[in-house]
Amino acid sequence: MKTKPMKTILLFLAGSAAALMATPTIVRAQSADETQIKAVVERETTAWGNRDAAAMADCWANVKEAGQLVTLQDGKGTVMSNHNTKMDLPIAIKTMVASMGPASKETFQNTDYQIRVNGNAAFAQYEQVVTAADGTKQYAHETRYLEKFDEKWKIVHVGAAFYTPAK
């Protein structure tokens, strides 16, 4: 008689384990668009660090609305903003990159991507950590607005707010 409750418990445990293993894990697959968007964002950041104007310009849409809004971490709330009103983005990028000096030895890591695709437009936000050669880190909340041109995602707007993480 004592074995019947033990068999019931074992059967219950075995059934529970089988049910748990059979339960589908819901993982949202990354779409092809999201994969391409992440690649463009990371390629543009790498081009920035490498001071590669051609690669950087290739990531951007040459439209008048193209621009950036960046809040620097200087204690003054400095805001840099520009727009491509002359429709000369490749030239503007080449001029900017030339003024930046040699390639940096910084590395970057983007995490916590949240990407929303709506037809030929997309919004991405993520966290970025930039590490200088001496180990100093900069932290930023980053955003990108992108549009698809000829089946290729291009950046239209960059937003970045640098911050000091809470300890």
Short mmCIF file of all heavy atoms in Angstrom, two decimals, residues 103-150:
data_model
loop_
_atom_site.label_atom_id
_atom_site.label_comp_id
_atom_site.label_asym_id
_atom_site.label_seq_id
_atom_site.Cartn_x
_atom_site.Cartn_y
_atom_site.Cartn_z
N ALA A 103 42.24 58.19 -36.27
CA ALA A 103 41.29 57.19 -35.76
C ALA A 103 41.47 57.02 -34.26
O ALA A 103 42.58 57.08 -33.74
CB ALA A 103 41.50 55.86 -36.48
N SER A 104 40.36 56.83 -33.60
CA SER A 104 40.42 56.63 -32.14
C SER A 104 40.71 55.17 -31.85
O SER A 104 40.54 54.30 -32.69
CB SER A 104 39.09 57.03 -31.50
OG SER A 104 38.12 56.04 -31.73
N LYS A 105 41.15 54.92 -30.67
CA LYS A 105 41.39 53.54 -30.24
C LYS A 105 40.24 53.07 -29.35
O LYS A 105 40.35 52.09 -28.64
CB LYS A 105 42.72 53.46 -29.49
CG LYS A 105 43.90 53.94 -30.31
CD LYS A 105 44.95 52.88 -30.40
CE LYS A 105 46.21 53.38 -31.06
NZ LYS A 105 46.15 53.43 -32.48
N GLU A 106 39.13 53.81 -29.41
CA GLU A 106 37.97 53.48 -28.60
C GLU A 106 37.28 52.23 -29.14
O GLU A 106 37.31 51.95 -30.33
CB GLU A 106 36.96 54.64 -28.63
CG GLU A 106 37.48 55.93 -28.06
CD GLU A 106 36.52 57.08 -28.28
OE1 GLU A 106 35.78 57.08 -29.28
OE2 GLU A 106 36.54 57.99 -27.44
N THR A 107 36.66 51.52 -28.23
CA THR A 107 35.79 50.41 -28.61
C THR A 107 34.39 50.75 -28.10
O THR A 107 34.23 51.58 -27.20
CB THR A 107 36.25 49.08 -28.00
OG1 THR A 107 36.25 49.19 -26.57
CG2 THR A 107 37.65 48.70 -28.49
N PHE A 108 33.40 50.14 -28.68
CA PHE A 108 32.04 50.40 -28.24
C PHE A 108 31.28 49.10 -28.09
O PHE A 108 31.62 48.09 -28.70
CB PHE A 108 31.31 51.33 -29.23
CG PHE A 108 30.97 50.66 -30.53
CD1 PHE A 108 29.74 50.06 -30.73
CD2 PHE A 108 31.89 50.61 -31.57
CE1 PHE A 108 29.43 49.43 -31.92
CE2 PHE A 108 31.59 49.98 -32.76
CZ PHE A 108 30.36 49.39 -32.93
N GLN A 109 30.27 49.18 -27.23
CA GLN A 109 29.39 48.04 -27.04
C GLN A 109 27.97 48.57 -26.94
O GLN A 109 27.69 49.42 -26.09
CB GLN A 109 29.76 47.25 -25.78
CG GLN A 109 28.86 46.05 -25.57
CD GLN A 109 29.22 45.26 -24.34
OE1 GLN A 109 29.95 45.73 -23.48
NE2 GLN A 109 28.70 44.06 -24.25
N ASN A 110 27.11 48.09 -27.82
CA ASN A 110 25.70 48.47 -27.79
C ASN A 110 24.91 47.31 -27.21
O ASN A 110 25.13 46.16 -27.60
CB ASN A 110 25.20 48.77 -29.20
CG ASN A 110 25.89 49.96 -29.82
OD1 ASN A 110 26.51 50.76 -29.14
ND2 ASN A 110 25.79 50.08 -31.13
N THR A 111 24.01 47.62 -26.29
CA THR A 111 23.19 46.58 -25.67
C THR A 111 21.75 47.06 -25.55
O THR A 111 21.46 48.24 -25.75
CB THR A 111 23.72 46.24 -24.26
OG1 THR A 111 23.69 47.41 -23.45
CG2 THR A 111 25.13 45.66 -24.30
N ASP A 112 20.91 46.16 -25.17
CA ASP A 112 19.50 46.45 -24.88
C ASP A 112 18.78 47.14 -26.03
O ASP A 112 18.02 48.09 -25.83
CB ASP A 112 19.36 47.28 -23.59
CG ASP A 112 19.94 46.57 -22.38
OD1 ASP A 112 19.89 45.33 -22.35
OD2 ASP A 112 20.46 47.25 -21.49
N TYR A 113 19.02 46.66 -27.24
CA TYR A 113 18.34 47.22 -28.40
C TYR A 113 16.83 47.04 -28.27
O TYR A 113 16.36 45.98 -27.89
CB TYR A 113 18.77 46.51 -29.68
CG TYR A 113 20.03 47.03 -30.32
CD1 TYR A 113 21.25 46.43 -30.06
CD2 TYR A 113 19.99 48.10 -31.21
CE1 TYR A 113 22.41 46.88 -30.67
CE2 TYR A 113 21.15 48.56 -31.83
CZ TYR A 113 22.35 47.94 -31.55
OH TYR A 113 23.49 48.40 -32.16
N GLN A 114 16.11 48.08 -28.61
CA GLN A 114 14.66 48.02 -28.79
C GLN A 114 14.42 48.66 -30.15
O GLN A 114 14.75 49.83 -30.36
CB GLN A 114 13.93 48.78 -27.70
CG GLN A 114 14.11 48.16 -26.33
CD GLN A 114 13.39 48.94 -25.26
OE1 GLN A 114 12.30 49.47 -25.49
NE2 GLN A 114 13.99 49.03 -24.10
N ILE A 115 13.89 47.88 -31.07
CA ILE A 115 13.71 48.35 -32.44
C ILE A 115 12.25 48.19 -32.83
O ILE A 115 11.66 47.13 -32.62
CB ILE A 115 14.62 47.56 -33.41
CG1 ILE A 115 16.09 47.77 -33.04
CG2 ILE A 115 14.35 47.98 -34.86
CD1 ILE A 115 17.06 46.91 -33.83
N ARG A 116 11.70 49.25 -33.39
CA ARG A 116 10.33 49.21 -33.90
C ARG A 116 10.36 49.53 -35.38
O ARG A 116 10.81 50.60 -35.78
CB ARG A 116 9.45 50.22 -33.18
CG ARG A 116 8.01 50.16 -33.66
CD ARG A 116 7.12 51.10 -32.87
NE ARG A 116 5.73 50.85 -33.12
CZ ARG A 116 5.06 51.35 -34.17
NH1 ARG A 116 5.68 52.09 -35.05
NH2 ARG A 116 3.78 51.08 -34.34
N VAL A 117 9.93 48.58 -36.19
CA VAL A 117 9.87 48.76 -37.63
C VAL A 117 8.41 48.98 -38.01
O VAL A 117 7.53 48.24 -37.58
CB VAL A 117 10.43 47.52 -38.37
CG1 VAL A 117 10.30 47.67 -39.88
CG2 VAL A 117 11.88 47.27 -37.97
N ASN A 118 8.18 50.01 -38.83
CA ASN A 118 6.83 50.30 -39.31
C ASN A 118 6.95 50.60 -40.81
O ASN A 118 7.23 51.74 -41.20
CB ASN A 118 6.23 51.48 -38.56
CG ASN A 118 4.78 51.72 -38.91
OD1 ASN A 118 4.20 50.99 -39.70
ND2 ASN A 118 4.20 52.75 -38.34
N GLY A 119 6.82 49.56 -41.62
CA GLY A 119 6.98 49.73 -43.06
C GLY A 119 8.41 50.06 -43.42
O GLY A 119 9.32 49.31 -43.10
N ASN A 120 8.61 51.21 -44.06
CA ASN A 120 9.95 51.64 -44.47
C ASN A 120 10.58 52.60 -43.49
O ASN A 120 11.53 53.32 -43.84
CB ASN A 120 9.90 52.27 -45.87
CG ASN A 120 9.67 51.23 -46.94
OD1 ASN A 120 10.09 50.08 -46.81
ND2 ASN A 120 9.00 51.61 -48.01
N ALA A 121 10.07 52.64 -42.27
CA ALA A 121 10.63 53.50 -41.22
C ALA A 121 10.88 52.65 -39.98
O ALA A 121 10.20 51.66 -39.74
CB ALA A 121 9.67 54.64 -40.89
N ALA A 122 11.88 53.06 -39.22
CA ALA A 122 12.20 52.31 -38.00
C ALA A 122 12.78 53.25 -36.95
O ALA A 122 13.44 54.25 -37.28
CB ALA A 122 13.18 51.19 -38.30
N PHE A 123 12.55 52.90 -35.71
CA PHE A 123 13.12 53.62 -34.58
C PHE A 123 13.88 52.61 -33.73
O PHE A 123 13.37 51.54 -33.42
CB PHE A 123 12.02 54.28 -33.74
CG PHE A 123 12.55 55.07 -32.60
CD1 PHE A 123 13.05 56.35 -32.80
CD2 PHE A 123 12.56 54.55 -31.31
CE1 PHE A 123 13.55 57.10 -31.74
CE2 PHE A 123 13.06 55.29 -30.25
CZ PHE A 123 13.56 56.56 -30.47
N ALA A 124 15.11 52.94 -33.40
CA ALA A 124 15.93 52.06 -32.56
C ALA A 124 16.43 52.84 -31.36
O ALA A 124 16.78 54.02 -31.48
CB ALA A 124 17.11 51.53 -33.36
N GLN A 125 16.43 52.18 -30.23
CA GLN A 125 17.06 52.77 -29.04
C GLN A 125 17.87 51.68 -28.37
O GLN A 125 17.55 50.50 -28.45
CB GLN A 125 16.04 53.38 -28.10
CG GLN A 125 15.02 52.44 -27.55
CD GLN A 125 13.95 53.18 -26.74
OE1 GLN A 125 13.72 54.36 -26.92
NE2 GLN A 125 13.30 52.47 -25.85
N TYR A 126 18.96 52.11 -27.73
CA TYR A 126 19.87 51.15 -27.12
C TYR A 126 20.80 51.89 -26.17
O TYR A 126 20.84 53.12 -26.14
CB TYR A 126 20.67 50.40 -28.19
CG TYR A 126 21.44 51.29 -29.13
CD1 TYR A 126 22.77 51.62 -28.88
CD2 TYR A 126 20.83 51.83 -30.24
CE1 TYR A 126 23.47 52.45 -29.73
CE2 TYR A 126 21.53 52.67 -31.10
CZ TYR A 126 22.84 52.98 -30.84
OH TYR A 126 23.53 53.82 -31.67
N GLU A 127 21.54 51.12 -25.41
CA GLU A 127 22.55 51.66 -24.51
C GLU A 127 23.92 51.47 -25.15
O GLU A 127 24.17 50.43 -25.74
CB GLU A 127 22.52 50.93 -23.16
CG GLU A 127 21.20 51.09 -22.41
CD GLU A 127 20.89 52.54 -22.08
OE1 GLU A 127 21.78 53.25 -21.55
OE2 GLU A 127 19.76 52.97 -22.37
N GLN A 128 24.78 52.48 -25.02
CA GLN A 128 26.11 52.36 -25.59
C GLN A 128 27.16 52.69 -24.54
O GLN A 128 27.02 53.64 -23.77
CB GLN A 128 26.29 53.33 -26.76
CG GLN A 128 27.63 53.16 -27.47
CD GLN A 128 27.74 54.05 -28.67
OE1 GLN A 128 28.05 55.23 -28.52
NE2 GLN A 128 27.48 53.51 -29.85
N VAL A 129 28.21 51.86 -24.50
CA VAL A 129 29.38 52.11 -23.66
C VAL A 129 30.57 52.22 -24.59
O VAL A 129 30.84 51.31 -25.37
CB VAL A 129 29.60 50.98 -22.63
CG1 VAL A 129 30.86 51.26 -21.79
CG2 VAL A 129 28.39 50.80 -21.73
N VAL A 130 31.26 53.36 -24.49
CA VAL A 130 32.46 53.59 -25.29
C VAL A 130 33.64 53.54 -24.33
O VAL A 130 33.65 54.22 -23.31
CB VAL A 130 32.43 54.96 -26.00
CG1 VAL A 130 33.70 55.19 -26.80
CG2 VAL A 130 31.19 55.06 -26.89
N THR A 131 34.62 52.71 -24.65
CA THR A 131 35.79 52.54 -23.80
C THR A 131 37.02 53.09 -24.52
O THR A 131 37.35 52.64 -25.63
CB THR A 131 36.01 51.06 -23.44
OG1 THR A 131 34.80 50.55 -22.87
CG2 THR A 131 37.16 50.89 -22.46
N ALA A 132 37.68 54.08 -23.90
CA ALA A 132 38.89 54.67 -24.46
C ALA A 132 40.06 53.72 -24.25
O ALA A 132 39.98 52.77 -23.46
CB ALA A 132 39.17 56.01 -23.79
N ALA A 133 41.16 54.00 -24.94
CA ALA A 133 42.35 53.16 -24.83
C ALA A 133 42.85 53.06 -23.39
O ALA A 133 43.39 52.03 -22.98
CB ALA A 133 43.45 53.70 -25.74
N ASP A 134 42.65 54.12 -22.60
CA ASP A 134 43.11 54.11 -21.20
C ASP A 134 42.10 53.46 -20.25
O ASP A 134 42.30 53.43 -19.05
CB ASP A 134 43.42 55.54 -20.73
CG ASP A 134 42.19 56.43 -20.63
OD1 ASP A 134 41.06 55.96 -20.92
OD2 ASP A 134 42.35 57.61 -20.26
N GLY A 135 41.00 52.93 -20.80
CA GLY A 135 40.00 52.24 -19.98
C GLY A 135 38.86 53.13 -19.51
O GLY A 135 37.89 52.65 -18.94
N THR A 136 38.96 54.43 -19.73
CA THR A 136 37.88 55.35 -19.37
C THR A 136 36.64 55.01 -20.17
O THR A 136 36.72 54.75 -21.37
CB THR A 136 38.30 56.81 -19.66
OG1 THR A 136 39.52 57.08 -18.99
CG2 THR A 136 37.23 57.79 -19.21
N LYS A 137 35.49 55.04 -19.50
CA LYS A 137 34.24 54.69 -20.17
C LYS A 137 33.31 55.89 -20.25
O LYS A 137 33.26 56.70 -19.34
CB LYS A 137 33.54 53.56 -19.43
CG LYS A 137 34.31 52.24 -19.47
CD LYS A 137 33.52 51.14 -18.80
CE LYS A 137 34.29 49.84 -18.71
NZ LYS A 137 34.64 49.24 -19.95
N GLN A 138 32.57 55.97 -21.36
CA GLN A 138 31.49 56.93 -21.52
C GLN A 138 30.22 56.14 -21.76
O GLN A 138 30.23 55.13 -22.47
CB GLN A 138 31.72 57.84 -22.73
CG GLN A 138 32.77 58.89 -22.54
CD GLN A 138 32.78 59.82 -23.75
OE1 GLN A 138 32.67 59.38 -24.89
NE2 GLN A 138 32.92 61.10 -23.50
N TYR A 139 29.13 56.63 -21.18
CA TYR A 139 27.85 55.93 -21.28
C TYR A 139 26.84 56.84 -21.98
O TYR A 139 26.80 58.05 -21.71
CB TYR A 139 27.33 55.58 -19.88
CG TYR A 139 28.28 54.71 -19.11
CD1 TYR A 139 29.32 55.26 -18.37
CD2 TYR A 139 28.15 53.32 -19.14
CE1 TYR A 139 30.20 54.46 -17.66
CE2 TYR A 139 29.03 52.51 -18.44
CZ TYR A 139 30.05 53.09 -17.71
OH TYR A 139 30.93 52.30 -17.02
N ALA A 140 26.04 56.26 -22.86
CA ALA A 140 25.05 57.05 -23.58
C ALA A 140 23.78 56.25 -23.82
O ALA A 140 23.82 55.04 -24.07
CB ALA A 140 25.61 57.53 -24.91
N HIS A 141 22.66 56.97 -23.73
CA HIS A 141 21.38 56.45 -24.22
C HIS A 141 21.33 56.91 -25.67
O HIS A 141 21.43 58.11 -25.94
CB HIS A 141 20.20 57.06 -23.45
CG HIS A 141 20.25 56.86 -21.97
ND1 HIS A 141 20.15 55.62 -21.37
CD2 HIS A 141 20.38 57.75 -20.96
CE1 HIS A 141 20.20 55.77 -20.06
NE2 HIS A 141 20.35 57.04 -19.78
N GLU A 142 21.21 55.99 -26.61
CA GLU A 142 21.27 56.31 -28.03
C GLU A 142 19.95 56.00 -28.71
O GLU A 142 19.27 55.03 -28.36
CB GLU A 142 22.37 55.49 -28.71
CG GLU A 142 23.76 55.75 -28.20
CD GLU A 142 24.48 56.87 -28.95
OE1 GLU A 142 24.00 57.29 -30.02
OE2 GLU A 142 25.53 57.30 -28.45
N THR A 143 19.60 56.81 -29.70
CA THR A 143 18.43 56.56 -30.54
C THR A 143 18.81 56.76 -32.00
O THR A 143 19.74 57.53 -32.31
CB THR A 143 17.25 57.50 -30.20
OG1 THR A 143 17.64 58.85 -30.44
CG2 THR A 143 16.79 57.32 -28.77
N ARG A 144 18.11 56.06 -32.87
CA ARG A 144 18.29 56.23 -34.30
C ARG A 144 16.91 56.14 -34.95
O ARG A 144 16.12 55.26 -34.64
CB ARG A 144 19.17 55.13 -34.92
CG ARG A 144 20.59 55.05 -34.40
CD ARG A 144 21.43 56.24 -34.82
NE ARG A 144 22.82 56.10 -34.43
CZ ARG A 144 23.31 56.48 -33.25
NH1 ARG A 144 22.52 57.01 -32.34
NH2 ARG A 144 24.60 56.34 -32.99
N TYR A 145 16.67 57.08 -35.88
CA TYR A 145 15.51 56.98 -36.75
C TYR A 145 16.07 56.63 -38.12
O TYR A 145 17.01 57.28 -38.61
CB TYR A 145 14.73 58.30 -36.81
CG TYR A 145 13.65 58.26 -37.86
CD1 TYR A 145 12.50 57.50 -37.68
CD2 TYR A 145 13.80 58.96 -39.05
CE1 TYR A 145 11.53 57.44 -38.66
CE2 TYR A 145 12.83 58.90 -40.04
CZ TYR A 145 11.70 58.14 -39.84
OH TYR A 145 10.74 58.07 -40.82
N LEU A 146 15.54 55.58 -38.73
CA LEU A 146 16.03 55.10 -40.03
C LEU A 146 14.88 54.97 -41.01
O LEU A 146 13.73 54.76 -40.60
CB LEU A 146 16.72 53.74 -39.89
CG LEU A 146 17.87 53.65 -38.90
CD1 LEU A 146 17.40 53.15 -37.56
CD2 LEU A 146 18.95 52.75 -39.44
N GLU A 147 15.23 55.06 -42.28
CA GLU A 147 14.27 54.79 -43.34
C GLU A 147 14.93 53.88 -44.36
O GLU A 147 16.16 53.86 -44.49
CB GLU A 147 13.81 56.09 -44.01
CG GLU A 147 12.95 56.95 -43.10
CD GLU A 147 12.46 58.22 -43.75
OE1 GLU A 147 12.71 58.45 -44.96
OE2 GLU A 147 11.81 59.02 -43.04
N LYS A 148 14.09 53.13 -45.06
CA LYS A 148 14.59 52.19 -46.06
C LYS A 148 14.55 52.85 -47.43
O LYS A 148 13.51 53.34 -47.87
CB LYS A 148 13.73 50.92 -46.06
CG LYS A 148 14.37 49.75 -46.78
CD LYS A 148 13.45 48.56 -46.78
CE LYS A 148 13.83 47.59 -45.71
NZ LYS A 148 13.09 46.31 -45.83
N PHE A 149 15.73 52.90 -48.07
CA PHE A 149 15.88 53.45 -49.41
C PHE A 149 16.45 52.34 -50.29
O PHE A 149 17.53 51.82 -49.99
CB PHE A 149 16.85 54.64 -49.41
CG PHE A 149 16.36 55.82 -48.61
CD1 PHE A 149 16.64 55.91 -47.25
CD2 PHE A 149 15.63 56.83 -49.22
CE1 PHE A 149 16.19 57.00 -46.51
CE2 PHE A 149 15.18 57.93 -48.49
CZ PHE A 149 15.46 58.00 -47.13
N ASP A 150 15.77 52.00 -51.37
CA ASP A 150 16.23 50.94 -52.28
C ASP A 150 16.63 49.68 -51.51
O ASP A 150 17.71 49.12 -51.71
CB ASP A 150 17.41 51.43 -53.13
CG ASP A 150 17.02 52.59 -54.04
OD1 ASP A 150 15.87 52.57 -54.54
OD2 ASP A 150 17.84 53.49 -54.23
#
